[in-house]
Amino acid sequence: MTDMFRKLIVAALAALTFTAAIVPEANAWNLGSRSRHQRAEMAAAPLAFQLFCLKNPSECRKSRRSVVAYTPKIRALLVSVNAQVNRSIRPRRERGDTWSINPAYGDCDDYAMTKRHKLIRAGVPASALKIAVVRTRRGEGHAILIVKTTSGEFALDNIRKSIVRRSRTGYRFEKLV
């Protein structure tokens, strides 16, 4: 067995184990009886996200609080981080699906992960931050960051400059991890 093949098998097994650890109840749920919003939240994490978490476990830890108080300070932080990250990463389609933090060039998942990283470092609870895998109005796959606050959920997106409520994105949500 080649070394590369062995690494692929280990990565696949690790990803399966990680998925089972994240959503152990998913197999028992009747997803068809849930709303589209609930199904998106219960879907298994994308493989690229799972691999990212295997390489960067400290970036994927959960926190006790799953909601952040919506204050003028938090609103200003969200606006600032969204704008700063949107300016700092130059858009580039990737050949493979690799999620990273603070790249010079990247795609939507890199923007979302970098925003998540910066907000956690600024004190926002990790469990209040979710990566959403969505479909745009044109049917294209896209990733954004959702921040759950006491005033609702807000979307930080590299396509738009302003932060909007999740319900106002115009996206169809497929996964929320």
Side-chain angles (χ1 to χ4, degrees), residues 107-128:
D107 63 6
C108 55
D109 49 69
D110 303 315
Y111 286 88
M113 293 302 289
T114 300
K115 291 172 187 180
R116 182 180 185 280
H117 172 80
K118 289 184 179 296
L119 289 171
I120 290 169
R121 296 301 172 268
V124 176
S127 293

Side-chain angles (χ1 to χ4, degrees), residues 72-106:
K73 183 178 176 181
I74 287 295
R75 173 73 181 170
L77 176 65
L78 298 180
V79 169
S80 172
V81 166
N82 192 57
Q84 188 272 323
V85 172
N86 285 353
R87 284 191 310 267
S88 69
I89 300 174
R90 303 197 101 187
R92 179 185 289 169
R93 290 196 186 265
E94 297 173 333
R95 286 191 175 146
D97 192 20
T98 304
W99 293 26
S100 57
I101 295 173
N102 296 318
Y105 297 90

